[in-house]
Amino acid sequence: MTAMTVRKRAMRIDWATVFTWVAVIVVFLLPMVWIVLKALQPEQLVFSGTIEVSQFTLENFERAITQGSLLSYTISNTIIALATCAIVVPLGYVTGYALARFRFPGRGSFLFLFMFSLTIPGLVNLVAIYQLFSALRMINNPVTLVIVYSASSLPLAVWLMRAYIMALPAEIEEAALIDGCSRFGILWRIVLPIALPGVGAVTVLTIVAVFHEFIVAQTMMRIDGIGVVNQGLRQLQTEHFFDFTGLAAGSVLVSLVPVALFLLLQRQFISGMTAGAIKS
Amino acid sequence: MAIAVGTVTPAIKPRKRRTDLFPFLLIAPAVLLVGAFTVLSLVFTGVASLTDWDIGRRVTSFIGLGNYVRAFQDSDLIGAFIRSGIFVTSVVALSTFSGFLIAVGLNRKFRGQGFVRALVIVPWVISELATGVFWMILLMPDAPLGAVLGGPLRSATGAMISLICVETWRSVGFAMVMVLASLQSIDESLYEAARVDGASGWRQTWLITFPLVSPTLLVVAILLMIGNFNLVTIIIAFTEGGPIDATTTTALYMYKHSFQYFHIGYGSSIAILMSVVNVIAMGFFILLQRSRGASQ
């Protein structure tokens, strides 16, 4: 009897749920799964309406990796992402801390600077950035990308860290100060351990941002295999436009790192997505 | 939460009468890096927009507002602004609205809720370039979906509609995440009261949820507006601005002038015009955040 009622209730909820499921699966899952499966099919089957499981092959991935220099781009992209984190995470942390905990002259204008830079996209500055680094003879130099990515990721990192630290209780810091802990000691030994989830969110978002980037790298770097993964995919697209299965394999490969990071660290990722706008 | 911190903070501050240099020390590197980039680039672009800087010209000279006069008479640029308007308005309206609906649908407990939520966010996580590339493949005239739709990328209207749909597909997850976050703050008792009064699920959604979430929807709309107005990567991969110039938005037009034709002076003036649009949108964003902060 009870089992029956439970089942009946489950059936009643099902209508809305089934609709959500079907809509979401058809609109979001199907296109992505289709591309992954087509990337595993031989070239001549790219436009067929069926998937031939017996003909699964990795040759498209091999072609994408060699023709798009994807292995080399992945390595250099990873190094650039980590180097950017090495700048953005510590600077974002100390700046966010200062803006969360201290009142000082000019604080409002500094907050405005970060908010302003957060909403001004890199594209409108691209000409200026290109000319600046060209004058410094730093075009085709991966260090340039690290500097540009750091400058463009910092506003969100600062904003996120500030919001995170503002939500932490300040009493422990005061107690530590009274106990004779140095101010840098507070920053390093007291606040950092409890702010680690926020630091984690900043790290994930920065890495994903660098793996998403294309336009700055395409403008500043023209060395085959050095830069970001999207350049490898673009190289495939411009040089082998009609190799559709190779392109499908390439789009799967360049999305692997960001999607994997998102699936592993969903909570940090989502808190980062909302922090920029929800908390003020 | 912000209020609690605000009352605690002064306890650290009034230790010294003189200005405490410690916070300045902490923020200096980030302020210098970000400030140098944002401010210097804007100044540089502003100055460059007053010159006839062009790769094909030996001598560059100041031409006053010549580039701006040219911009306002350039029918291609005006067309690009109109296309940007259509593109941005459609994407913002569609993704905010469907993001809201999906968030409301997901805000109940059901099996696989976490999976569905993750699935909607994944397009926002895939690289823009990859998104453009694989949707181009899916919409090829010979591909199953492209064939059903009659090869949408071959016609001007079809290409624009496809671009709007793909960008909406990508942005819905962002809107949904933001709405879900703000749904958490709605007091459950409001719904209980409505249920006692006999309000249906739909009426509850439109009369309680929607008004309470609408400030967040506005924030989402502004952020998506700024993002999409400056979007080039996905368009480059998807249509390259074509067929002819059917999907060439202002951002792509500016990019082409600056980096394909090397009309640096003219490209800069378009960048400045774009910045004006961005700053206006950002002004609304800041005002909105301020008023929300004050009301809380």
Side-chain angles (χ1 to χ4, degrees):
Chain A
M1 194 62 193
T2 40
M4 276 282 276
T5 43
V6 167
R7 240 176 127 193
K8 257 196 166 169
R9 275 185 71 198
M11 292 291 253
R12 260 188 59 212
I13 310 169
D14 264 357
W15 260 114
T17 310
V18 163
F19 180 77
T20 318
W21 267 96
V22 171
V24 166
I25 284 176
V26 169
V27 175
F28 292 96
L29 188 62
L30 196 62
M32 295 189 277
V33 170
W34 189 256
I35 279 298
V36 173
L37 292 174
K38 280 300 170 191
L40 290 164
Q41 297 275 274
E43 256 189 286
Q44 63 272 16
L45 290 180
V46 62
F47 290 142
S48 89
T50 53
I51 302 291
E52 305 290 336
V53 182
S54 59
Q55 298 206 45
F56 272 166
T57 167
L58 288 176
E59 61 187 20
N60 303 311
F61 287 93
E62 284 169 26
R63 230 174 30 254
I65 289 171
T66 37
Q67 291 174 345
S69 316
L70 283 180
L71 202 61
S72 159
Y73 273 122
T74 307
I75 296 170
S76 80
N77 195 341
T78 310
I79 298 172
I80 291 170
L82 294 178
T84 306
C85 281
I87 297 176
V88 169
V89 175
L91 287 189
Y93 169 64
V94 294
T95 314
Y97 173 79
L99 291 171
R101 286 289 193 254
F102 294 93
R103 314 258 150 202
F104 48 94
R107 180 174 167 277
S109 8
F110 294 125
L111 276 173
F112 178 79
L113 171 72
F114 289 115
M115 171 81 101
F116 183 80
S117 311
L118 187 67
T119 42
I120 287 292
L123 184 73
V124 292
N125 293 334
L126 197 55
V127 175
I129 294 170
Y130 179 82
Q131 296 302 333
L132 171 72
F133 283 99
S134 153
L136 295 170
R137 308 208 166 280
M138 280 178 72
I139 299 299
N140 285 337
N141 183 345
V143 174
T144 304
L145 289 189
V146 174
I147 299 172
V148 178
Y149 295 160
S150 301
S152 49
S153 306
L154 258 174
L156 182 63
V158 168
W159 210 251
L160 220 151
M161 281 319 309
R162 173 176 169 267
Y164 197 89
I165 292 170
M166 270 167 53
L168 298 174
E171 286 85 357
I172 322 167
E173 292 156 51
E174 287 162 37
L177 200 62
I178 293 164
D179 288 348
C181 186
S182 78
R183 298 169 102 183
F184 279 109
I186 291 178
L187 209 54
W188 178 245
R189 282 194 307 252
I190 312 291
V191 184
L192 186 61
I194 46 173
L196 273 183
V199 172
V202 170
T203 313
V204 182
L205 283 182
T206 309
I207 295 176
V208 170
V210 176
F211 271 87
H212 270 186
E213 214 289 314
F214 168 68
I215 207 80
V216 174
Q218 188 75 352
T219 311
M220 311 293 242
M221 293 289 298
R222 286 305 173 104
I223 307 172
D224 183 27
I226 302 182
V228 296
V229 281
N230 285 318
Q231 288 181 279
L233 178 60
R234 181 62 183 163
Q235 190 173 312
L236 269 180
Q237 196 189 13
T238 46
E239 289 167 17
H240 307 276
F241 183 80
F242 294 102
D243 178 6
F244 294 118
T245 46
L247 279 174
S251 11
V252 173
L253 287 171
V254 302
S255 307
L256 281 183
V257 173
V259 173
L261 280 176
F262 164 67
L263 293 177
L264 289 173
L265 301 163
Q266 270 194 57
R267 185 170 304 181
Q268 282 85 342
F269 197 91
I270 289 173
S271 74
M273 276 172 91
T274 49
I278 291 285
K279 296 168 185 165
S280 52
Chain B
M1 267 184 266
I3 296 163
V5 173
T7 53
V8 172
T9 315
I12 300 182
K13 187 209 123 197
R15 295 183 74 241
K16 290 177 192 166
R17 270 260 183 87
R18 273 182 302 160
T19 314
D20 184 2
L21 288 180
F22 186 65
F24 290 100
L25 183 69
L26 294 182
I27 66 167
V31 166
L32 285 178
L33 187 55
V34 175
F37 256 77
T38 314
V39 178
L40 282 183
S41 322
L42 269 180
V43 171
F44 181 95
T45 312
V47 173
S49 76
L50 304 175
T51 68
D52 58 0
W53 193 348
D54 187 322
I55 198 79
R57 205 182 293 272
R58 282 246 181 105
V59 186
T60 298
S61 43
F62 277 97
I63 53 166
L65 294 174
N67 284 322
Y68 293 95
V69 174
R70 176 178 165 194
F72 284 108
Q73 290 164 349
D74 181 351
S75 59
D76 289 338
L77 177 63
I78 294 165
F81 260 107
I82 293 171
R83 281 187 290 274
S84 275
I86 297 170
F87 170 68
V88 172
T89 317
S90 319
V91 171
V92 168
L94 288 173
S95 25
T96 317
F97 183 68
S98 25
F100 171 75
L101 285 186
I102 298 177
V104 170
L106 279 178
N107 202 33
R108 303 162 295 130
K109 287 252 179 308
F110 66 88
R111 200 176 296 178
Q113 185 194 28
F115 175 77
V116 172
R117 192 187 58 187
L119 198 59
V120 180
I121 306 174
V122 167
W124 181 259
V125 182
I126 297 175
S127 102
E128 270 177 44
L129 196 83
T131 307
V133 166
F134 81 71
W135 274 104
M136 173 204 76
I137 299 172
L138 291 171
L139 293 175
M140 278 283 157
D142 298 327
L145 180 63
V148 170
L149 301 171
L153 297 186
R154 287 183 299 190
S155 78
T157 324
M160 181 50 103
I161 294 173
S162 311
L163 180 65
I164 290 169
C165 292
V166 170
E167 181 53 20
T168 302
W169 182 81
R170 203 178 72 87
S171 313
V172 166
F174 174 69
M176 180 201 73
V177 164
M178 299 280 285
V179 176
L180 274 177
S182 84
L183 285 177
Q184 309 303 316
S185 63
I186 297 183
D187 192 349
E188 192 57 34
S189 63
L190 286 171
Y191 294 104
E192 276 157 32
R195 238 170 278 143
V196 170
D197 291 346
S200 68
W202 276 111
R203 283 180 66 85
Q204 287 176 33
T205 303
W206 290 117
L207 298 176
I208 302 176
T209 317
F210 188 75
L212 286 174
V213 170
S214 57
T216 302
L217 291 179
L218 208 52
V219 168
V220 171
I222 294 172
L223 290 179
L224 283 178
M225 195 213 124
I226 296 173
N228 283 302
F229 182 64
N230 297 278
L231 185 83
V232 285
T233 304
I234 207 167
I235 308 179
I236 289 176
F238 191 53
T239 58
E240 258 174 297
I244 310 177
D245 56 4
T247 49
T248 302
T249 58
T250 317
L252 189 61
Y253 189 75
M254 175 245 149
Y255 178 76
K256 282 184 171 170
H257 266 284
S258 306
F259 294 103
Q260 280 175 15
Y261 320 138
F262 296 103
H263 299 153
I264 300 176
Y266 189 49
S268 300
S269 69
I270 305 174
I272 291 291
L273 292 175
M274 288 178 65
S275 304
V276 172
V277 176
N278 286 327
V279 166
I280 293 173
M282 192 202 60
F284 277 113
F285 177 72
I286 291 178
L287 278 180
L288 206 66
Q289 294 288 54
R290 283 250 176 93
S291 63
R292 287 205 309 157
S295 67
Q296 268 164 14

